[in-house]
Amino acid sequence: MSVDVAQKQAIEHNRGPMLVLAGPGSGKTLVITRRTQWLIQKAGVAPGNILVVTFTRAAAGEMRSRFDRLMDGRHLPVSFGTFHAIFFTILKYAYKYKVENILSEDEKYAILRDIIHQIDVEMDDEKDFVMDIAGEISRVKGDMISLEHFYPVNCAKDVFEEIYKAYAAKLGRMRRLDYDDMLVQTWQLFKKYPDILAAWQKKYTYILIDEFQDINRVQYEIIRMLAMPENNLFVVGDDDQSIYKFRGAKPEILLGFTRDYPEAKMTVLNTNYRSTGAVVKRAEALIKNNEHRYAKDMTAAREMGEEVLVKAFQKPADQYLKMIREIVDIHEQKEVPWEEIAVIFRTNVQMSGFVEQLMVYNVPFVMKDSVPNIYQHWIAKDIFAYMNIAFGGNSRSDYLRIINRPNRFISRSYLDEDPVNLANVKDYLENREWMVERIEQMEYDFYMLSSMGPYPAIQYIRNSIGYDNYLKEYGASRGIKSEDLLEVLDELMDKSHAYKTWEEWFEAIDQYSETLKIRSRQRFEETEGIRLLTMHGAKGLEYDLVYIPDANQGIAPHKKALTESDKEEERRMFYVAMTRAKNNLRIYFTRERYGKAAEMSPFIGEFLDF
């Protein structure tokens, strides 16, 4: 396969550091594998002295396969691997670690759950809290921040420090290390034992790194040490595709590479071989609005093709129905395989409405990212607890969920029976008239709810019982935006419109929940169906036809993106989603969402000529 001028320049770079800026579809994998081949065949580098690092096992495996094909099937001892795999190999030699010493993600969450239960931390959703805390622990290690200088966002500083220290002590006693420890311990090893570092420097005299924009601080510091003294460091990345800040990625490391290595050569792979001219033109018009970036002026090697389609709909349901009809028609009439059609959402939370419609119309699909089940949200569980009691249930767990939501100042200790008997509770409280009155009001509310369908019942719980006010007070007390909590209720009400009875809705919920479980276990690459992804999950993939639905202000960019830095990352995410399309790109937005006015994403105005 022939290469263009920029690719040739990168492949045949000889010694010293080099930064290769590789735009979408510009052949970065080709460059890395061909450069590895060139180093062996033209520069005379021993295969065992070459290290190729990427971020996922799948990418490392694909690189290895492509390189082996270039070498006519010969399996040369070039090291291809992820940061974690390479660094764990180093630790194995130093500390005699075995695979059994590695802590799995499930084990990590189990340990953190146990610690949190012992500390008795107040939380609403344990699963989310544990994952958030795990992410913050990872950030402390990956960013090389001292614990005393880290300020968590998910709990009080002293609580986080207690969890962090208990977690570290537990791993120490077990002689286990998590994935972040592999990085930290490798850095500590190299700092403490210069002779060990020198041995690995002699081993890896040429280092190639893929997806360099996703590197974090500790990874970069280790690589810098490993590359010395010759600094044959060849890094390939695209600052415009840096979208993993939440995982600790530091795009500023790529932007500052030539400052760290003033002698570094730089080249730009700015020809997109994947997408049509129309897609490249619109995507380039969007990303140029970011200030902190290297300009690349991407051009397409292909024809212009069909113009990017942007369309408005009144409601999300109208948008989803149109997409399903188009997808089925394109699959049947134009014979586009299901697997070549992708729907890319800003977040996995958005997917649920579309997934439910796909089930109704029996369109095959597979999800790359797990979709949160809104019916498992604690707010939904509160609503269902109210209805369970209204329909005659009297389980203690249901009463404990809602007895003080809103606050009725009724102590949980009064509900000491299971099943609960409110007559006994009232007898016990007979001398406290005001409390008896509150219980009687609650009984009246249950009576009213018992004859209501889903939509009016939720409305009654929100307004007459005062659940909305409870959520507002709850949000204010915990620094959570109340509109985020109320949106869960808005979505539940929106879904409830389709059902006349609770029995009918509960049946649909059970079916939906079971289907979600089945779909979440399916292998994304091997399952037939259209592809549902988030913008984060779509990176590195490509499809014949791409849809980006819900392109609305507050979703893209996300409402939590408050700073200019946040908005630039949101723009990069949208850019990544756009550049997944090979032939057709369709971007849809709605005029309203959950009965409230919605605005078009400002990103559309940045790339479309009105």
Side-chain angles (χ1 to χ4, degrees):
M1 181 180 175
S2 61
V3 295
D4 62 34
V5 173
Q7 290 172 338
K8 188 173 189 292
Q9 184 182 356
I11 291 166
E12 297 180 2
H13 170 69
N14 193 3
R15 302 183 64 80
M18 184 175 208
L19 171 61
V20 179
L21 296 170
S26 62
K28 68 180 178 62
T29 304
L30 176 143
V31 163
I32 292 171
T33 52
R34 291 284 288 270
R35 170 164 174 74
T36 308
Q37 178 190 34
W38 185 88
L39 286 172
I40 296 166
Q41 294 182 340
K42 301 296 184 184
V45 179
N49 293 141
I50 301 173
L51 172 63
V52 181
V53 189
T54 189
F55 279 81
T56 67
R57 280 186 296 177
E62 173 64 17
M63 288 252 191
R64 160 60 75 183
S65 298
R66 290 178 67 165
F67 172 70
D68 287 350
R69 288 196 295 273
L70 278 177
M71 305 307 290
D72 299 321
R74 285 182 297 152
H75 195 78
L76 299 177
V78 175
S79 295
F80 288 86
T82 63
F83 281 102
H84 292 104
I86 299 299
F87 295 164
F88 184 67
T89 299
I90 292 169
L91 293 174
K92 274 199 303 184
Y93 282 102
Y95 300 129
K96 309 302 181 195
Y97 279 133
K98 298 178 180 178
V99 173
E100 301 86 73
N101 294 111
I102 300 174
L103 191 78
S104 73
E105 291 298 287
D106 287 343
E107 288 174 314
K108 177 201 281 188
Y109 296 142
I111 290 170
L112 287 173
R113 269 196 301 273
D114 288 344
I115 292 168
I116 289 161
H117 289 162
Q118 290 166 19
I119 295 174
D120 194 25
V121 181
E122 186 177 335
M123 74 197 95
D124 292 301
D125 190 298
E126 182 182 275
K127 183 179 177 183
D128 285 349
F129 183 76
V130 168
M131 290 185 72
D132 289 340
I133 292 295
E136 293 197 301
I137 290 173
S138 183
R139 212 161 298 132
V140 170
K141 296 177 182 181
D143 287 350
M144 306 176 80
I145 304 171
S146 62
L147 190 57
E148 59 267 29
H149 293 135
F150 181 78
Y151 293 88
V153 296
N154 294 291
C155 63
K157 182 173 169 57
D158 61 329
V159 172
F160 177 78
E161 289 183 4
E162 187 176 355
I163 295 170
Y164 186 98
K165 290 173 182 175
Y167 175 69
K170 176 76 171 177
L171 265 59
R173 291 193 298 272
M174 297 168 68
R175 199 168 186 265
R176 304 289 286 280
L177 68 166
D178 64 22
Y179 285 93
D180 298 300
D181 293 329
M182 292 182 201
L183 311 179
V184 173
Q185 289 191 23
T186 303
W187 180 79
Q188 292 170 339
L189 175 73
F190 283 172
K191 294 288 284 186
K192 190 174 182 181
Y193 300 105
D195 56 326
I196 293 177
L197 171 59
W200 286 102
Q201 288 170 336
K202 190 175 178 182
K203 162 73 172 166
Y204 293 129
T205 55
Y206 283 82
I207 301 173
L208 296 78
I209 301 181
D210 184 25
E211 303 285 10
F212 189 67
Q213 75 279 349
D214 295 334
I215 202 166
N216 69 20
R217 177 56 57 189
V218 68
Q219 289 166 340
Y220 184 51
E221 292 302 326
I222 296 168
I223 287 295
R224 291 197 72 186
M225 286 192 281
L226 200 55
M228 292 192 295
E230 297 182 36
N231 291 330
N232 293 322
L233 188 54
F234 182 88
V235 301
V236 182
D238 183 6
D239 51 311
D240 290 335
Q241 295 185 74
S242 179
I243 60 173
Y244 293 127
K245 187 163 76 173
F246 73 100
R247 288 185 192 165
K250 299 285 185 187
E252 56 268 29
I253 293 175
L254 183 150
L255 291 168
F257 186 79
T258 53
R259 182 186 61 241
D260 293 337
Y261 296 95
E263 75 278 23
K265 300 286 193 297
M266 186 169 84
T267 190
V268 181
L269 308 184
N270 61 357
T271 301
N272 183 320
Y273 295 93
R274 172 195 300 150
S275 305
T276 61
V279 171
V280 173
K281 176 186 174 185
R282 298 304 181 187
E284 186 70 6
L286 172 70
I287 202 62
K288 279 183 175 179
N289 289 277
N290 271 5
E291 287 185 22
H292 304 289
R293 63 183 290 266
Y294 285 112
K296 297 174 193 67
D297 298 318
M298 295 297 296
T299 58
R302 298 181 55 201
E303 72 290 338
M304 280 302 290
E306 288 186 28
E307 181 54 273
V308 174
L309 176 65
V310 176
K311 193 167 184 178
F313 295 85
Q314 191 59 30
K315 297 181 294 187
D318 302 334
Q319 168 192 240
Y320 297 153
L321 185 58
K322 176 68 171 174
M323 286 164 58
I324 289 170
R325 286 174 175 164
E326 286 179 348
I327 287 168
V328 171
D329 183 60
I330 288 166
H331 171 69
E332 292 177 352
Q333 303 301 322
K334 298 187 179 179
E335 298 183 349
V336 175
W338 294 121
E339 295 73 28
E340 280 294 327
I341 302 171
V343 183
I344 303 177
F345 296 85
R346 167 61 184 85
T347 68
N348 56 0
V349 175
Q350 289 169 257
M351 291 186 193
S352 64
F354 187 55
V355 166
E356 285 181 301
Q357 290 302 308
L358 289 172
M359 291 178 189
V360 170
Y361 288 93
N362 202 27
V363 176
F365 68 93
V366 62
M367 306 173 298
K368 189 171 192 290
D369 309 89
S370 62
V371 176
N373 187 344
I374 189 172
Y375 304 119
Q376 294 297 320
H377 195 287
W378 64 269
I379 291 175
K381 288 180 179 179
D382 285 356
I383 299 298
F384 298 154
Y386 266 108
M387 297 314 302
N388 289 340
I389 297 171
F391 293 139
N394 50 11
S395 79
R396 184 169 181 265
S397 61
D398 280 339
Y399 270 102
L400 289 178
R401 280 202 76 88
I402 56 87
I403 193 70
N404 285 310
R405 296 184 176 184
N407 203 343
R408 299 177 176 90
F409 301 96
I410 299 172
S411 172
R412 294 165 68 93
S413 63
Y414 299 153
L415 306 175
D416 56 356
E417 295 178 297
D418 194 5
V420 171
N421 187 326
L422 287 184
N424 292 342
V425 177
K426 285 190 287 187
D427 287 344
Y428 179 77
L429 296 170
E430 61 180 339
N431 294 326
R432 280 170 267 190
E433 250 181 75
W434 65 274
M435 292 192 77
V436 172
E437 285 176 8
R438 290 192 176 214
I439 292 173
E440 287 175 345
Q441 176 60 48
M442 187 170 63
E443 287 180 304
Y444 173 77
D445 289 332
F446 292 142
Y447 168 74
M448 293 296 292
L449 288 170
S450 66
S451 61
M452 293 182 184
Y455 185 85
I458 297 174
Q459 203 166 34
Y460 185 89
I461 293 169
R462 295 183 70 169
N463 300 319
S464 298
I465 293 179
Y467 192 80
D468 270 20
N469 288 333
Y470 159 72
L471 287 183
K472 289 173 186 174
E473 291 168 7
Y474 175 89
S477 68
R478 285 167 174 76
I480 302 169
K481 287 187 177 180
S482 60
E483 55 261 37
D484 292 345
L485 301 173
L486 294 171
E487 195 170 278
V488 176
L489 287 172
D490 291 339
E491 186 174 348
L492 281 171
M493 287 190 72
D494 193 60
K495 291 178 184 297
S496 73
H497 266 301
Y499 305 96
K500 290 187 173 63
T501 68
W502 281 96
E503 184 179 43
E504 184 186 357
W505 195 17
F506 281 146
E507 188 178 330
I509 288 170
D510 288 343
Q511 185 180 356
Y512 171 76
S513 301
E514 186 58 33
T515 304
L516 267 193
K517 278 186 198 171
I518 294 168
R519 297 286 183 179
S520 66
R521 293 194 291 265
Q522 293 175 330
R523 291 180 65 85
F524 183 76
E525 296 82 6
E526 299 169 7
T527 305
E528 182 187 57
I530 64 170
R531 275 35 189 160
L532 307 187
L533 316 92
T534 62
M535 291 179 180
H536 284 115
K539 191 163 164 290
L541 302 175
E542 58 183 48
Y543 300 95
D544 185 89
L545 167 62
V546 167
Y547 284 91
I548 304 176
D550 303 324
N552 286 89
Q553 174 69 45
I555 295 176
H558 197 275
K559 59 190 172 187
K560 291 182 180 178
L562 302 176
T563 67
E564 279 308 308
S565 174
D566 291 338
K567 288 171 185 171
E568 289 211 347
E569 181 163 64
E570 291 287 323
R571 191 177 283 109
R572 291 195 294 268
M573 277 190 267
F574 208 92
Y575 174 74
V576 166
M578 292 177 74
T579 52
R580 300 312 92 196
K582 292 188 285 188
N583 294 315
N584 292 98
L585 174 60
R586 301 182 181 187
I587 300 171
Y588 294 164
F589 65 96
T590 61
R591 300 291 187 192
E592 66 175 71
R593 193 168 179 83
Y594 308 135
K596 298 169 187 170
E599 295 179 21
M600 179 185 78
S601 167
F603 294 156
I604 293 174
E606 291 177 0
F607 70 76
L608 205 61
D609 305 319
F610 286 99

